[in-house]
mmCIF file of all heavy atoms in Angstrom:
data_model
loop_
_atom_site.group_PDB
_atom_site.id
_atom_site.type_symbol
_atom_site.label_atom_id
_atom_site.label_comp_id
_atom_site.label_asym_id
_atom_site.label_seq_id
_atom_site.Cartn_x
_atom_site.Cartn_y
_atom_site.Cartn_z
ATOM 1 N N SER L 1204 12.016 8.127 -2.543
ATOM 2 C CA SER L 1204 11.012 8.532 -3.532
ATOM 3 C C SER L 1204 9.620 8.063 -3.106
ATOM 4 O O SER L 1204 9.456 7.006 -2.478
ATOM 5 C CB SER L 1204 11.323 7.906 -4.890
ATOM 6 O OG SER L 1204 12.620 8.203 -5.332
ATOM 7 N N LEU L 1205 8.602 8.847 -3.465
ATOM 8 C CA LEU L 1205 7.229 8.405 -3.292
ATOM 9 C C LEU L 1205 7.015 7.190 -4.186
ATOM 10 O O LEU L 1205 7.295 7.235 -5.388
ATOM 11 C CB LEU L 1205 6.271 9.533 -3.684
ATOM 12 C CG LEU L 1205 4.787 9.310 -3.403
ATOM 13 C CD1 LEU L 1205 4.511 9.294 -1.906
ATOM 14 C CD2 LEU L 1205 3.945 10.392 -4.086
ATOM 15 N N ILE L 1206 6.560 6.083 -3.618
ATOM 16 C CA ILE L 1206 6.344 4.861 -4.385
ATOM 17 C C ILE L 1206 4.856 4.730 -4.693
ATOM 18 O O ILE L 1206 4.012 4.812 -3.795
ATOM 19 C CB ILE L 1206 6.840 3.617 -3.622
ATOM 20 C CG1 ILE L 1206 8.330 3.753 -3.293
ATOM 21 C CG2 ILE L 1206 6.600 2.356 -4.457
ATOM 22 C CD1 ILE L 1206 8.871 2.616 -2.434
ATOM 23 N N LEU L 1207 4.551 4.537 -5.952
ATOM 24 C CA LEU L 1207 3.175 4.394 -6.430
ATOM 25 C C LEU L 1207 2.964 2.959 -6.894
ATOM 26 O O LEU L 1207 3.885 2.304 -7.363
ATOM 27 C CB LEU L 1207 2.916 5.354 -7.594
ATOM 28 C CG LEU L 1207 3.433 6.788 -7.449
ATOM 29 C CD1 LEU L 1207 3.266 7.548 -8.762
ATOM 30 C CD2 LEU L 1207 2.695 7.500 -6.317
ATOM 31 N N ASN L 1208 1.721 2.487 -6.795
ATOM 32 C CA ASN L 1208 1.405 1.152 -7.310
ATOM 33 C C ASN L 1208 -0.054 1.137 -7.730
ATOM 34 O O ASN L 1208 -0.717 2.181 -7.735
ATOM 35 C CB ASN L 1208 1.710 0.077 -6.262
ATOM 36 C CG ASN L 1208 2.067 -1.268 -6.893
ATOM 37 O OD1 ASN L 1208 1.463 -1.700 -7.866
ATOM 38 N ND2 ASN L 1208 3.058 -1.938 -6.341
ATOM 39 N N GLY L 1209 -0.584 -0.035 -8.045
ATOM 40 C CA GLY L 1209 -1.982 -0.189 -8.410
ATOM 41 C C GLY L 1209 -2.795 -0.792 -7.283
ATOM 42 O O GLY L 1209 -2.284 -1.072 -6.189
ATOM 43 N N SER L 1210 -4.060 -1.043 -7.560
ATOM 44 C CA SER L 1210 -4.991 -1.514 -6.530
ATOM 45 C C SER L 1210 -4.659 -2.894 -5.992
ATOM 46 O O SER L 1210 -5.140 -3.273 -4.924
ATOM 47 C CB SER L 1210 -6.415 -1.537 -7.100
ATOM 48 O OG SER L 1210 -6.815 -0.268 -7.555
ATOM 49 N N ALA L 1211 -3.844 -3.659 -6.715
ATOM 50 C CA ALA L 1211 -3.549 -5.034 -6.289
ATOM 51 C C ALA L 1211 -2.888 -5.114 -4.926
ATOM 52 O O ALA L 1211 -2.935 -6.156 -4.275
ATOM 53 C CB ALA L 1211 -2.678 -5.732 -7.328
ATOM 54 N N VAL L 1212 -2.258 -4.021 -4.490
ATOM 55 C CA VAL L 1212 -1.609 -4.038 -3.176
ATOM 56 C C VAL L 1212 -2.431 -3.305 -2.123
ATOM 57 O O VAL L 1212 -1.922 -2.959 -1.052
ATOM 58 C CB VAL L 1212 -0.176 -3.459 -3.246
ATOM 59 C CG1 VAL L 1212 0.720 -4.373 -4.045
ATOM 60 C CG2 VAL L 1212 -0.166 -2.068 -3.845
ATOM 61 N N ASP L 1213 -3.711 -3.065 -2.417
ATOM 62 C CA ASP L 1213 -4.596 -2.487 -1.399
ATOM 63 C C ASP L 1213 -4.726 -3.466 -0.239
ATOM 64 O O ASP L 1213 -4.714 -4.685 -0.425
ATOM 65 C CB ASP L 1213 -5.969 -2.207 -2.010
ATOM 66 C CG ASP L 1213 -6.923 -1.553 -1.027
ATOM 67 O OD1 ASP L 1213 -6.440 -0.780 -0.172
ATOM 68 O OD2 ASP L 1213 -8.137 -1.801 -1.118
ATOM 69 N N GLY L 1214 -4.871 -2.932 0.970
ATOM 70 C CA GLY L 1214 -5.017 -3.765 2.155
ATOM 71 C C GLY L 1214 -3.799 -3.651 3.052
ATOM 72 O O GLY L 1214 -2.704 -3.298 2.610
ATOM 73 N N SER L 1215 -3.998 -3.981 4.317
ATOM 74 C CA SER L 1215 -2.911 -3.876 5.293
ATOM 75 C C SER L 1215 -2.278 -5.220 5.615
ATOM 76 O O SER L 1215 -1.334 -5.285 6.406
ATOM 77 C CB SER L 1215 -3.450 -3.247 6.588
ATOM 78 O OG SER L 1215 -4.499 -4.037 7.116
ATOM 79 N N TYR L 1216 -2.764 -6.280 4.968
ATOM 80 C CA TYR L 1216 -2.343 -7.639 5.321
ATOM 81 C C TYR L 1216 -0.852 -7.885 5.066
ATOM 82 O O TYR L 1216 -0.253 -8.779 5.659
ATOM 83 C CB TYR L 1216 -3.171 -8.659 4.533
ATOM 84 C CG TYR L 1216 -3.042 -8.540 3.034
ATOM 85 C CD1 TYR L 1216 -2.110 -9.294 2.339
ATOM 86 C CD2 TYR L 1216 -3.840 -7.661 2.323
ATOM 87 C CE1 TYR L 1216 -1.982 -9.178 0.966
ATOM 88 C CE2 TYR L 1216 -3.723 -7.544 0.950
ATOM 89 C CZ TYR L 1216 -2.799 -8.303 0.279
ATOM 90 O OH TYR L 1216 -2.677 -8.172 -1.086
ATOM 91 N N TRP L 1217 -0.226 -7.104 4.182
ATOM 92 C CA TRP L 1217 1.173 -7.337 3.813
ATOM 93 C C TRP L 1217 2.152 -6.391 4.498
ATOM 94 O O TRP L 1217 3.365 -6.518 4.305
ATOM 95 C CB TRP L 1217 1.334 -7.192 2.296
ATOM 96 C CG TRP L 1217 0.942 -5.845 1.744
ATOM 97 C CD1 TRP L 1217 -0.309 -5.425 1.415
ATOM 98 C CD2 TRP L 1217 1.821 -4.745 1.468
ATOM 99 N NE1 TRP L 1217 -0.272 -4.131 0.938
ATOM 100 C CE2 TRP L 1217 1.021 -3.692 0.956
ATOM 101 C CE3 TRP L 1217 3.196 -4.545 1.574
ATOM 102 C CZ2 TRP L 1217 1.557 -2.459 0.577
ATOM 103 C CZ3 TRP L 1217 3.739 -3.314 1.204
ATOM 104 C CH2 TRP L 1217 2.916 -2.293 0.701
ATOM 105 N N LEU L 1218 1.659 -5.483 5.303
ATOM 106 C CA LEU L 1218 2.509 -4.412 5.816
ATOM 107 C C LEU L 1218 3.510 -4.868 6.879
ATOM 108 O O LEU L 1218 4.498 -4.168 7.134
ATOM 109 C CB LEU L 1218 1.651 -3.267 6.352
ATOM 110 C CG LEU L 1218 0.870 -2.498 5.275
ATOM 111 C CD1 LEU L 1218 0.012 -1.417 5.902
ATOM 112 C CD2 LEU L 1218 1.823 -1.904 4.248
ATOM 113 N N ASP L 1219 3.283 -6.032 7.474
ATOM 114 C CA ASP L 1219 4.279 -6.540 8.433
ATOM 115 C C ASP L 1219 5.622 -6.787 7.746
ATOM 116 O O ASP L 1219 6.678 -6.775 8.402
ATOM 117 C CB ASP L 1219 3.792 -7.832 9.083
ATOM 118 C CG ASP L 1219 2.687 -7.593 10.092
ATOM 119 O OD1 ASP L 1219 2.486 -6.424 10.480
ATOM 120 O OD2 ASP L 1219 2.011 -8.566 10.478
ATOM 121 N N ALA L 1220 5.579 -7.018 6.430
ATOM 122 C CA ALA L 1220 6.822 -7.267 5.686
ATOM 123 C C ALA L 1220 7.600 -5.988 5.415
ATOM 124 O O ALA L 1220 8.765 -6.050 5.002
ATOM 125 C CB ALA L 1220 6.500 -7.962 4.356
ATOM 126 N N THR L 1221 6.969 -4.835 5.653
ATOM 127 C CA THR L 1221 7.623 -3.535 5.413
ATOM 128 C C THR L 1221 7.376 -2.634 6.618
ATOM 129 O O THR L 1221 6.584 -1.686 6.543
ATOM 130 C CB THR L 1221 7.078 -2.883 4.132
ATOM 131 O OG1 THR L 1221 5.653 -2.791 4.246
ATOM 132 C CG2 THR L 1221 7.423 -3.700 2.903
ATOM 133 N N PRO L 1222 8.022 -2.883 7.742
ATOM 134 C CA PRO L 1222 7.721 -2.150 8.984
ATOM 135 C C PRO L 1222 7.841 -0.641 8.838
ATOM 136 O O PRO L 1222 8.772 -0.139 8.214
ATOM 137 C CB PRO L 1222 8.768 -2.700 9.963
ATOM 138 C CG PRO L 1222 9.162 -4.030 9.410
ATOM 139 C CD PRO L 1222 9.089 -3.883 7.924
ATOM 140 N N ASP L 1223 6.853 0.070 9.402
ATOM 141 C CA ASP L 1223 6.851 1.532 9.471
ATOM 142 C C ASP L 1223 6.945 2.190 8.092
ATOM 143 O O ASP L 1223 7.508 3.278 7.951
ATOM 144 C CB ASP L 1223 8.000 2.022 10.363
ATOM 145 C CG ASP L 1223 7.727 3.426 10.910
ATOM 146 O OD1 ASP L 1223 6.567 3.721 11.229
ATOM 147 O OD2 ASP L 1223 8.679 4.221 10.983
ATOM 148 N N LEU L 1224 6.362 1.561 7.100
ATOM 149 C CA LEU L 1224 6.421 2.085 5.732
ATOM 150 C C LEU L 1224 5.696 3.419 5.633
ATOM 151 O O LEU L 1224 4.595 3.593 6.149
ATOM 152 C CB LEU L 1224 5.778 1.086 4.768
ATOM 153 C CG LEU L 1224 5.650 1.531 3.302
ATOM 154 C CD1 LEU L 1224 7.027 1.719 2.673
ATOM 155 C CD2 LEU L 1224 4.834 0.502 2.506
ATOM 156 N N SER L 1225 6.309 4.370 4.920
ATOM 157 C CA SER L 1225 5.680 5.646 4.600
ATOM 158 C C SER L 1225 5.925 5.962 3.124
ATOM 159 O O SER L 1225 6.802 5.387 2.482
ATOM 160 C CB SER L 1225 6.247 6.782 5.452
ATOM 161 O OG SER L 1225 5.859 6.661 6.810
ATOM 162 N N GLY L 1226 5.128 6.900 2.603
ATOM 163 C CA GLY L 1226 5.339 7.345 1.241
ATOM 164 C C GLY L 1226 4.999 6.303 0.198
ATOM 165 O O GLY L 1226 5.681 6.179 -0.821
ATOM 166 N N PHE L 1227 3.914 5.568 0.435
ATOM 167 C CA PHE L 1227 3.463 4.541 -0.507
ATOM 168 C C PHE L 1227 1.994 4.812 -0.814
ATOM 169 O O PHE L 1227 1.175 4.925 0.105
ATOM 170 C CB PHE L 1227 3.629 3.145 0.094
ATOM 171 C CG PHE L 1227 3.323 2.024 -0.855
ATOM 172 C CD1 PHE L 1227 4.308 1.513 -1.687
ATOM 173 C CD2 PHE L 1227 2.049 1.479 -0.925
ATOM 174 C CE1 PHE L 1227 4.033 0.479 -2.566
ATOM 175 C CE2 PHE L 1227 1.762 0.457 -1.802
ATOM 176 C CZ PHE L 1227 2.752 -0.049 -2.629
ATOM 177 N N VAL L 1228 1.638 4.910 -2.093
ATOM 178 C CA VAL L 1228 0.307 5.369 -2.492
ATOM 179 C C VAL L 1228 -0.297 4.438 -3.533
ATOM 180 O O VAL L 1228 0.389 4.024 -4.478
ATOM 181 C CB VAL L 1228 0.379 6.802 -3.067
ATOM 182 C CG1 VAL L 1228 -1.019 7.322 -3.400
ATOM 183 C CG2 VAL L 1228 1.059 7.748 -2.082
ATOM 184 N N VAL L 1229 -1.592 4.134 -3.363
ATOM 185 C CA VAL L 1229 -2.321 3.330 -4.352
ATOM 186 C C VAL L 1229 -3.697 3.953 -4.601
ATOM 187 O O VAL L 1229 -4.279 4.575 -3.706
ATOM 188 C CB VAL L 1229 -2.503 1.866 -3.894
ATOM 189 C CG1 VAL L 1229 -1.163 1.178 -3.744
ATOM 190 C CG2 VAL L 1229 -3.298 1.778 -2.602
ATOM 191 N N PRO L 1230 -4.234 3.777 -5.817
ATOM 192 C CA PRO L 1230 -5.597 4.223 -6.114
ATOM 193 C C PRO L 1230 -6.559 3.039 -6.000
ATOM 194 O O PRO L 1230 -6.243 1.941 -6.445
ATOM 195 C CB PRO L 1230 -5.487 4.683 -7.572
ATOM 196 C CG PRO L 1230 -4.465 3.759 -8.161
ATOM 197 C CD PRO L 1230 -3.535 3.336 -7.044
ATOM 198 N N VAL L 1231 -7.716 3.251 -5.401
ATOM 199 C CA VAL L 1231 -8.683 2.167 -5.209
ATOM 200 C C VAL L 1231 -10.097 2.676 -5.535
ATOM 201 O O VAL L 1231 -10.348 3.878 -5.564
ATOM 202 C CB VAL L 1231 -8.650 1.620 -3.770
ATOM 203 C CG1 VAL L 1231 -7.302 0.996 -3.452
ATOM 204 C CG2 VAL L 1231 -8.972 2.709 -2.754
ATOM 205 N N GLN L 1232 -11.012 1.737 -5.743
ATOM 206 C CA GLN L 1232 -12.392 2.111 -6.055
ATOM 207 C C GLN L 1232 -13.163 2.565 -4.823
ATOM 208 O O GLN L 1232 -14.192 3.239 -4.939
ATOM 209 C CB GLN L 1232 -13.098 0.941 -6.740
ATOM 210 C CG GLN L 1232 -12.488 0.607 -8.088
ATOM 211 C CD GLN L 1232 -13.130 -0.595 -8.731
ATOM 212 O OE1 GLN L 1232 -14.356 -0.659 -8.919
ATOM 213 N NE2 GLN L 1232 -12.323 -1.592 -9.077
ATOM 214 N N GLY L 1233 -12.697 2.189 -3.656
ATOM 215 C CA GLY L 1233 -13.330 2.600 -2.411
ATOM 216 C C GLY L 1233 -12.429 2.215 -1.255
ATOM 217 O O GLY L 1233 -11.601 1.297 -1.374
ATOM 218 N N SER L 1234 -12.574 2.887 -0.131
ATOM 219 C CA SER L 1234 -11.718 2.627 1.017
ATOM 220 C C SER L 1234 -12.332 1.585 1.938
ATOM 221 O O SER L 1234 -13.500 1.691 2.324
ATOM 222 C CB SER L 1234 -11.471 3.916 1.804
ATOM 223 O OG SER L 1234 -10.742 3.629 2.987
ATOM 224 N N ILE L 1235 -11.528 0.600 2.311
ATOM 225 C CA ILE L 1235 -11.972 -0.433 3.254
ATOM 226 C C ILE L 1235 -11.738 -0.003 4.700
ATOM 227 O O ILE L 1235 -12.085 -0.747 5.620
ATOM 228 C CB ILE L 1235 -11.235 -1.764 3.002
ATOM 229 C CG1 ILE L 1235 -9.716 -1.597 3.235
ATOM 230 C CG2 ILE L 1235 -11.510 -2.275 1.589
ATOM 231 C CD1 ILE L 1235 -8.923 -2.892 3.151
#
């Protein structure tokens, strides 16, 4: 399933914990 979340998980700093993650979407006020 497409996984949605909030802005709190914006950033790439945590992605090592989920290798090759796809289908994850968040809304943010601006792109870093």
Side-chain angles (χ1 to χ4, degrees):
S1204 305
L1205 187 68
I1206 302 175
L1207 316 172
N1208 208 319
S1210 302
V1212 292
D1213 182 33
S1215 59
Y1216 60 93
W1217 59 276
L1218 292 178
D1219 287 346
T1221 55
D1223 203 37
L1224 175 65
S1225 290
F1227 186 88
V1228 184
V1229 297
V1231 297
Q1232 295 177 55
S1234 175
I1235 63 174

